Structures are given as structure tokens and as C-alpha cells.
Amino acid sequence: MKHTILLAVISLAGIATASAQDVPVLDLDNCLSIALTESPTIKVADLEVKRVDYSRKEVIGQLLPNIDFSGQYSRTLAKQTMYMNMDGFGDFGGGNEDGDATSRAGNRGGGDGGIKVGLDNSYSVGFQASMPLIAPQLWQSLSLSDTQIFRNAESAHKSRLELVNQVKNAYYTLLLAEDSRKVMQESYDMAKLTHETYTKQYALGAASDYDVLRTSVAMKNIEPQLMQADISIKQARLQLLILMGVDASFDFKINDSLANYEDTMYGQTLAIDPDYSRNMDLRLLDIDARILQKNLKIQKLAYSTTLALTANYNWTSMNNGSPFSNLRWNPYSSVGVALSVPLFSGGQRLNKVKQVQLQVEEMRWQRENLERSVDMQVKVAIDNIKMNVKQISSCAESVGQAERAHTIQEQSFDIGATSYLNLRDSELALTQARLAYNQAIYNYLVAHSDLELLLGNAPLDKYTKK
């Protein structure tokens, strides 16, 4: 089912497929589109936005009427005894003129003279309702919830930018691994061809056994590098699939290379805008500062008066004997208002206000320090990009020179005008030049992607179009 869904997404994205093996061919935009759709990181960030939205609705619910239904039953085990002393009428139920208990009434009634009051069974059922009329703290909490929703939406946006950066870096790493594998394969093929040539010459008596062994060793020395390149490709593919939120068994191809990005890097470098106002860390810190300001208002509003409307409608019943006989229900209802004026709380509210004020001050200093750090990072990143561009230009020139030198050595070796050592040196120089060229382009692409994350200007709309 996962493969079916993914293939449907790929089809909607307009991805070409290899007709021979029916394996999807992905490019960078396709990988980013799939990642922004399937990655668990993005789904978690979106769910967090929904969670805070429900929290806001919870605050709104506190401003609406709150209605409860309750029921209560109690069985009297020992009834209360009542004594009365009425001036001018003597004692009734016990007691004398000084309030001391006596036994005069008890002598007449055969007890201590007390009157048992109450019934055996007591029932009470009904509804209770309340609604805040004046609740400044709740009103401010609603505004705070709106800011928290916005903060989570910005956090989700930051997660998308970070995912784009991670997918790009993983994609470039895969390109570097594949291009390096091609360079090593070319080096291996050259060494193998030379070994086969010396083997044939040895069979004809035109070469020594030492020449055959030396070329064989040179060829076999490249084989571990080829195996390491294969491992690097596999690891890069797995890392890319994980970031895309796709099963590791999904098979795909990439018809791309690092050299394809050389033509666009000069224009990108010239078009770099160092404006970091969209940096997500700064934006989130500004939102956190706004949240603290609202929290400060909420703490100050703890001094304000609150007024609530209350109402209840109950039914009560009491009887003796069996709990289920002679039930007589009597309704009882009331409405009112409850006023609360905070006067003294031992300094709790004042200390809470001071705590939030200190947090606001701390946030201001953190913001200033973060802005300086981001400004420095942007300048360093731009300098690195410019240095990488120069390095790519130098490496491209070096590759051209190494290719010409190797061609000269090949032609000289074919006619016997140079030794195998000179030919091998030219092969190694060409391999190193190509690897350095690929590494320089990779460094530029990664640096540009990191700068894009730092500036917060990745074109997410381009990758999320259906």
C-alpha cells in the first residue's frame, strides 16, 4: 500500500520513469515534494498546530456557560439531637437557666430531654450553571492562545525549511557519492586496460613479469575504493529515503550529477541577498517575546475584579424508613452573581509579575545576541560560497589540464616514448583533479543550502505544488 501511495504521488509530481525496469527517476524537486508530503517530521509539526488550536477553543469554552448535573443521596445513621432553653417558658428539651444540661424534661420523657431531628433518607438532584461576566484574565488568555497558534505555525514552517535543507544536503551527498564512484570506475578501467596491455605484451615477450605485477597491484589498489564508494552510495540513498519519509526498500534512480549545477552557481552567487529578516530563529524569538508580554498582562490582571453569573435548579426529597417509599420531590431554584475582589495573597501575584518582567528583559538580551550571531553567520556563509565558486573555477581548470596531460602521456606510452610510471602519475593526477572538482561543487551546494536555511527564503511553494 505504501508503494502504491508513493507511486501515485510520484505520478502526480510528473516524475519520469525508466521504461526498461519501471524504476522512478527522481530529481531534487521531486525528492523535496515527497519529503514535504510524507515526512513524519512535517506531520508532527502540523498536528502540533492543531493541538494548540484545540487549546484555544478550550479557553473560549471557559467564557461560555458551564452547566453541570449532580445527584446526592445520604442515609442518616444517628440523628442530631436538639435542645432549647426559652426564657419565661422554662426548659424544653433539657438545660437550666445557666445553660447547664438537666434531666427535668428527661424525667418526664424517660430520656435526657433532647429532641431528635432529621429524617432517615435525603435526596438532592439538579443542575448548576455559571458563566463569567467580567473575567479580564480569561480575555487576555484568549489573545495569548492566538499568539501561540501563530507561534506553532511558524515552528512548523521552520521544520519545513530544515527538512528542505536536510533533503538537499542528502541529495547532494548522494550525487557526490555517485560521481566519485564514476571517477573511481574510470580510474579502475584505465588501470585494468594498462594491465591487460602489459599482460598481452608479456605473453609476446615484449614486457617483463615486473610490469605485469606492477599494473596488477595498481588495479587491485583501486578495488577497495570502489567498494567504499558503493557503501557510501548505499548510505546516502538510505539517508535520503529516511528524510523523504519513504520505506528503505523503495527503489529509485537519480539522473543527475554535480557538474549540472556549475552553470547556475554564478548567477545564484550574484543574486544572494544578505537580508536575514526572515531567519526563523529570530522570528520565533520575537513571537516568544510577544507571548511573554501577554503573560505579563495576564499576571497583572490577577489584581482585577471578576464577576460571574450563577444559577441552579434542584429537587430535594427526604423520608423515613425505606429509601424507595414515600418520596416527595420539592423543587428549589436560585440565581445570583458572584463577585471576587482580590485583596491580599502574601505577595504571590506581585512576585509572579516580577518574574515575568525579568523574563522579558532576558528575552531582549537574547534577541540582541542572536541577531549578532545570525549576522556573523550570514557573512561567513557568503564568504564561503564565494570561496567555493573560485575553488570550482580553479578545479575545473585543473581537470582540463589533467585531461590534456593524461592524453599526452597515453599517446606517448602507446608509441613507447614514456614509461608506465609517468602514465600512472597522470592517471592519479586526473583522478584527484576530478574528485576535487566534485568535492568543490558539493561544498558550494551545501553552503548555499545552509545559507538558504539561515535566511529562511527557501521556495517552499515550489515544492508543495500539486
Side-chain angles (χ1 to χ4, degrees), residues 14-32:
I15 301 176
T17 56
S19 58
Q21 299 180 356
D22 197 24
V23 177
V25 179
L26 306 182
D27 59 14
L28 179 57
D29 290 348
N30 300 146
C31 293
L32 291 171

Side-chain angles (χ1 to χ4, degrees), residues 122-141:
S122 177
Y123 299 87
S124 176
V125 294
F127 298 91
Q128 297 82 37
S130 64
M131 185 179 71
L133 300 178
I134 300 177
Q137 273 192 310
L138 281 178
W139 299 337
Q140 188 62 37
S141 297

Side-chain angles (χ1 to χ4, degrees), residues 242-430:
I242 290 173
L243 292 172
M244 290 168 57
V246 181
D247 191 84
S249 61
F250 178 73
D251 191 18
F252 67 97
K253 289 184 178 181
I254 291 182
N255 188 17
D256 199 0
S257 66
L258 293 173
N260 296 337
Y261 296 87
E262 183 180 0
D263 295 336
T264 60
M265 66 181 184
Y266 301 104
Q268 290 178 345
T269 303
L270 294 175
I272 291 178
D273 183 3
D275 179 22
Y276 55 82
S277 60
R278 289 186 289 179
N279 178 270
M280 293 309 302
D281 290 330
L282 287 174
R283 290 172 64 90
L284 289 176
L285 197 62
D286 290 338
I287 297 175
D288 290 338
R290 288 163 54 186
I291 291 176
L292 279 178
Q293 291 288 352
K294 293 182 181 296
N295 276 328
L296 180 60
K297 291 182 180 180
I298 289 176
Q299 297 302 328
K300 290 180 178 180
L301 289 174
Y303 293 96
S304 60
T305 300
T306 60
L307 182 66
L309 176 66
T310 61
N312 65 77
Y313 194 95
N314 298 319
W315 292 268
T316 60
S317 178
M318 294 185 291
N319 67 335
N320 283 322
S322 173
F324 305 105
S325 62
N326 300 323
L327 294 178
R328 292 174 297 179
W329 294 99
N330 301 298
Y332 167 76
S333 61
S334 66
V335 294
V337 291
L339 180 68
S340 176
V341 181
L343 297 177
F344 180 71
S345 62
Q348 297 180 35
R349 290 185 289 268
L350 177 61
N351 289 323
K352 287 182 179 179
V353 169
K354 290 184 176 180
Q355 289 180 46
V356 180
Q357 287 175 338
L358 290 177
Q359 289 179 331
V360 172
E361 184 69 13
E362 291 173 1
M363 189 70 70
R364 185 177 68 83
W365 289 109
Q366 291 175 7
R367 211 281 183 188
E368 181 177 340
N369 184 61
L370 179 60
E371 185 173 4
R372 292 174 179 173
S373 176
V374 171
D375 181 69
M376 181 270 297
Q377 293 177 42
V378 169
K379 292 179 180 178
V380 171
I382 294 177
D383 290 340
N384 288 335
I385 289 175
K386 293 180 179 179
M387 180 190 66
N388 289 328
V389 170
K390 294 180 180 179
Q391 186 176 5
I392 292 172
S393 178
S394 176
C395 289
E397 183 179 358
S398 177
V399 170
Q401 294 175 350
E403 288 176 347
R404 290 196 300 271
H406 178 66
T407 301
I408 294 173
Q409 289 297 325
E410 271 189 328
Q411 294 173 352
S412 299
F413 181 76
D414 291 339
I415 63 176
T418 188
S419 66
Y420 170 72
L421 291 178
N422 292 333
L423 177 63
R424 185 58 185 162
D425 288 342
S426 67
E427 290 176 355
L428 292 176
L430 178 58

Side-chain angles (χ1 to χ4, degrees), residues 128-156:
Q128 297 82 37
S130 64
M131 185 179 71
L133 300 178
I134 300 177
Q137 273 192 310
L138 281 178
W139 299 337
Q140 188 62 37
S141 297
L142 184 60
S143 175
L144 177 61
S145 298
D146 292 334
T147 306
Q148 289 174 337
I149 292 176
F150 179 67
R151 203 256 184 216
N152 276 44
E154 289 292 285
S155 180

Side-chain angles (χ1 to χ4, degrees), residues 222-254:
I222 304 176
E223 292 179 355
Q225 300 178 23
L226 285 175
M227 290 186 289
Q228 183 61 44
D230 290 333
I231 294 175
S232 299
I233 291 175
K234 183 177 180 180
Q235 292 176 346
R237 288 175 65 91
L238 290 176
Q239 180 65 22
L240 181 59
L241 288 172
I242 290 173
L243 292 172
M244 290 168 57
V246 181
D247 191 84
S249 61
F250 178 73
D251 191 18
F252 67 97
K253 289 184 178 181
I254 291 182

